[in-house]
Amino acid sequence: RKDPIVFVFAPTPTNPFAGAYQQGATSITADGVEVEIAARPFAGVELAAAYTYTDAEADAGGAVPFSVAHQLSGGVTVAATDRITLGAQALYVTGLENFGLSAETYLRLDARAEYRVTENAAVFLRAVNLLDQEYQTVDGYGTSDLAVFAGLRASF
């Protein structure tokens, strides 16, 4: 792609994280492959997996910020009863480019449970980053440690 839209940092004394999106001065070449598969081997059980390989390079040379070489995800969802749904997902990322400063590799595991109270309402519990991994998708911007969320979902 020619002249991609990029975020350019422009810190100010009052906002060290200021910046703006603007037209990039270089071109990017990216090739890759993405494969996804899903199956329902048993009633109430759904399995899904996806793999993405990306080879991205700036035409001026060097890595493309925020590009990921390999990303693999997999998950399972189980309808334990008519009202209870359980699920888990794994995400493995390697070759994450952060302005050429590092190539992050991480594994994140998440889990969720939902109880359907009525046809239009459900309560849920979700845990993110079960392994409490220390990783960054952008250098200098931390991600959440192990976090647990609870909530109510309703449709009208």
Side-chain angles (χ1 to χ4, degrees), residues 47-145:
L47 303 172
Y51 170 74
T52 302
Y53 167 73
T54 305
D55 180 16
E57 185 174 298
D59 290 345
V64 176
F66 314 120
S67 64
V68 174
H70 303 277
Q71 182 171 304
L72 177 65
S73 65
V76 60
T77 302
V78 177
T81 70
D82 289 346
R83 294 183 177 264
I84 299 173
T85 303
L86 307 172
Q89 182 174 356
L91 174 65
Y92 176 76
V93 173
T94 185
L96 171 62
E97 291 295 334
N98 282 318
F99 297 107
L101 299 176
S102 65
E104 288 280 341
T105 296
Y106 63 88
L107 172 66
R108 196 184 82 206
L109 298 178
D110 303 336
R112 64 191 182 287
E114 181 175 285
Y115 177 75
R116 193 167 45 87
V117 180
T118 69
E119 191 166 317
N120 297 327
V123 293
F124 66 89
L125 185 65
R126 182 170 56 101
V128 177
N129 196 6
L130 289 169
L131 300 176
D132 201 22
Q133 291 290 299
E134 295 280 334
Y135 70 96
Q136 296 179 0
T137 57
V138 177
D139 275 340
Y141 291 84
T143 54
S144 175
D145 293 331

Side-chain angles (χ1 to χ4, degrees), residues 32-52:
V33 65
E34 186 168 278
V35 179
E36 185 175 338
I37 187 168
R40 291 190 173 132
F42 310 104
V45 176
E46 184 174 318
L47 303 172
Y51 170 74
T52 302

